[in-house]
Structure formats: C-alpha cells, structure tokens
Amino acid sequence: MCIEVKNLLKQYGEQKAVNNISFKVEKGEIVGFLGPNGAGKSTTMKIITGYLQQTGGEAFVCGINVAEEPLETKKKIGYLPELNALYYDMYVKEYLAFIAEVHKVTDPKLKIETVIELTGLKVESKKKIGQLSKGYKQRVGLAAALIHDPEVLILDEPTSGLDPNQIIEIRDVIKKQGQNKTVLFSSHILQEVEAICDRVIIINKGQLVADDKLANLRKNSNARTKVILELKETVDEEIMLPVFGAEVTRIHPTTWKFDTSDPERLKKQILELTLKNNLNIVSLQSETTNLEDVFRNLTA
C-alpha cells in the first residue's frame, strides 16, 4: 500500500484532534477524506505529510515511516494544503522553477511546461502569483504538488475557490493522476467526491466513522428514500394520509413527496391507491440516497 496509518493519535492537552484512527490507501485509488469542520482531516493529512508530529500511532508512505524518515516520505508526496502558502512576489514559472529545484527535478523546464498545461495555467503563466485570482492560485499550488511526479497525492480542498468550469477541469486532472498514483483528498463539495471517488473515509470528532465503497455506504445507510409522485388530478390530502401516514407531504397541487425506508413497498401501495381512486400517474420517481445523506447520518 502507499498510505497506511495505524492507531493514529494527535492530542492537544485534553482534546483529541485525531483519536486512534487506522486506514490504508492503495496505489491507483482515489479516496475521499471527509468530515465536518474540526473533525481532524487536515491534522491527519499534515501528519501523513510529515508537517505535524503525532502523539501516538504510526503513519507510513510507500512503506516508509513518516516520523522516522520525513524527508524521504516528502519526496514521495505531492501535497496541496488547505491554506495554500505561495510567494506572491514570484512569477508563476519562477515559483515552479524554485519548487522543481527543491525536489531536484531533472529537466525542470519540460516539467514546468507540462504541469502548466496540465493544470490550465498557460494563460496566466507570465503573471506574478499575487496578481492571480483565488482559483488560479489554487492551480499554482496543484502544479507545485505535481511537478516532481510524486507517487502519492494528498490534496486538502483542491477545488476551493474554483468556478464550475475550473472544478470540472481539475476533477479531470485528479482522475487522470489517480490512474497510476495514490490520491487522498478532502472536500466539502460532496458532489465532487461522488464524481471522482469509489471509496470514502469519513471521520467525526477525530474518530473514524466510515471507510467503504461509496455504493456500500449508500446501501447500508439508514437515510430514508424520497419518492416523488406526480398525478394528473388534484386530490384531497385525506386520500393520501390514511394509506401512507404522516410521511406524506404535498409539494405542489398535484405532486406529493413520501419519505420511506421501503420504497418498493411504497410504490406498490401508490399503484393500488391510484387504481382504487381512478387517478392517473404522470410520474413516479425515487431519489436515491446520496453522499450528503450518508454524511449527515454519520456526522450529525
């Protein structure tokens, strides 16, 4: 595996920011790392990258113990922190050349042009970093994380400050990098995680509360399914309530919403009801459990 944490603990006084968590991320995996603000995501990422010392437990990158050999592990990692620290007085290419020199990159000019093209920086590449928008500053940080072609990418809010078009572009970059690298990234934009990841890790109050394929989390979630019924006719609420109880809500004169833990049974009841009352169904749709529902269930 490329990332492994074992019984990781980070304590500040009596407060446990990270509380005995363990997980592994293999090569070729793109894993979403989720949790509410203050859950311990950034702290965990800083420990894995060697920027913060843990209180207990161990972290490994490509089999190397981070605490014992921090410089060796940094060579393996491309890291984009949540607070993207950049030198605003430097030009984009100048800054990337500096990062390339730090990593002793061979053929730095080629690498700089490659990451500029990859992250969509070409149009802004001759400007000082301080002149860039927040979205383009984020791209510079991502380019710096990629320039030494690391085996592991750790990205903390990589799409922060980007507009919808830019988000799609960076999403494609991450997906492409994930084909032959290990990618662990956090985001508050849960739709992004659903679009990129097959697997998610969720922590809450420093503790691991989920680590599974997204499909399994949806399946095993206690979140209720929403069924939307649109009729041709307007009917009285009394027709609906005796059959379906208090879970039914009228959202339009001819449209009803049902919250249920058994959508298939509910749909059969709806069909029986419409036949009995000579009602015509315009549409009958289920809104399946999404990552937001799973997240709220596990962290609320």
Side-chain angles (χ1 to χ4, degrees), residues 21 71 186 235:
I21 67 171
L71 287 178
S186 74
V235 297

Side-chain angles (χ1 to χ4, degrees), residues 14-298:
E14 296 298 317
Q15 182 184 358
K16 293 179 179 178
V18 178
N19 188 4
N20 196 37
I21 67 171
S22 301
F23 62 83
K24 300 176 183 179
V25 186
E26 304 286 350
K27 182 179 179 180
E29 275 195 297
I30 305 176
V31 175
F33 193 40
L34 309 179
N37 287 333
K41 303 185 301 298
S42 294
T43 299
T44 302
M45 288 178 157
K46 287 175 182 176
I47 292 171
I48 295 170
T49 53
Y51 288 89
L52 193 64
Q53 183 67 47
Q54 69 264 36
T55 306
E58 295 176 299
F60 298 88
V61 172
C62 299
I64 304 169
N65 190 304
V66 176
E68 293 175 0
E69 299 183 69
L71 287 178
E72 284 303 309
T73 53
K74 284 183 174 67
K75 293 176 184 178
K76 306 282 187 183
I77 296 171
Y79 177 41
L80 177 63
E82 183 179 11
L83 298 175
N84 189 7
L86 301 168
Y87 295 106
Y88 285 8
D89 288 335
M90 297 179 77
Y91 290 92
V92 172
K93 287 187 177 180
E94 181 186 12
Y95 174 71
L96 293 176
F98 165 66
I99 298 297
E101 186 177 349
V102 169
H103 284 289
K104 296 181 173 59
V105 171
T106 56
D107 201 353
K109 286 185 179 180
L110 177 61
K111 287 288 188 179
I112 289 167
E113 292 302 324
T114 300
V115 295
I116 282 176
E117 187 71 32
L118 187 65
T119 56
L121 273 169
K122 195 167 186 178
V123 70
E124 302 287 333
S125 62
K126 295 182 180 179
K127 290 184 178 180
K128 284 188 175 182
I129 294 173
Q131 296 175 310
L132 303 179
S133 67
K134 184 180 179 183
Y136 275 102
K137 289 186 178 92
Q138 197 73 352
R139 289 175 184 237
V140 173
L142 182 57
L146 291 169
I147 199 163
H148 59 297
D149 195 24
E151 295 178 47
V152 174
L153 274 179
I154 296 181
L155 310 174
D156 199 352
E157 300 290 340
T159 56
S160 175
L162 304 183
D163 65 38
N165 290 329
Q166 292 173 328
I167 286 173
I168 292 170
E169 291 170 8
I170 297 303
R171 178 199 300 172
D172 291 340
V173 171
I174 294 171
K175 289 174 76 172
K176 186 175 180 180
Q177 293 297 312
Q179 293 174 3
N180 54 19
K181 298 184 190 302
T182 303
V183 181
L184 180 69
F185 85 101
S186 74
S187 178
H188 285 108
I189 307 172
L190 299 184
Q191 295 91 334
E192 283 305 296
V193 178
E194 287 187 294
I196 297 173
C197 300
D198 288 327
R199 174 185 164 206
V200 295
I201 296 169
I202 303 177
I203 63 173
N204 188 38
K205 297 178 181 177
Q207 294 184 314
L208 191 74
V209 294
D211 179 1
D212 207 343
K213 296 285 187 180
L214 188 51
N216 291 337
L217 289 175
R218 288 196 190 104
K219 182 179 178 181
N220 297 329
S221 173
N222 291 324
R224 296 167 69 81
T225 301
K226 297 178 181 64
V227 175
I228 307 298
L229 167 67
E230 183 181 356
L231 299 170
K232 188 174 181 180
E233 302 84 1
T234 301
V235 297
D236 293 333
E237 192 171 348
E238 287 73 18
I239 292 178
M240 297 291 182
L241 288 178
V243 179
F244 303 107
E247 295 176 342
V248 61
T249 306
R250 189 199 293 267
I251 57 178
H252 186 268
T254 60
T255 307
W256 301 81
K257 181 181 77 172
F258 305 90
D259 291 327
T260 179
S261 57
D262 191 348
E264 295 308 314
R265 181 182 177 188
L266 176 66
K267 287 177 184 178
K268 290 179 182 177
Q269 290 179 311
I270 288 173
L271 291 173
E272 291 171 1
L273 176 75
T274 53
L275 288 171
K276 180 181 177 182
N277 292 278
N278 295 317
L279 301 174
N280 295 288
I281 296 176
V282 176
S283 67
L284 182 61
Q285 298 178 337
S286 296
E287 296 181 2
T288 56
T289 302
N290 58 28
L291 183 55
E292 183 177 342
D293 297 322
V294 173
F295 182 87
R296 287 179 60 82
N297 255 1
L298 292 169

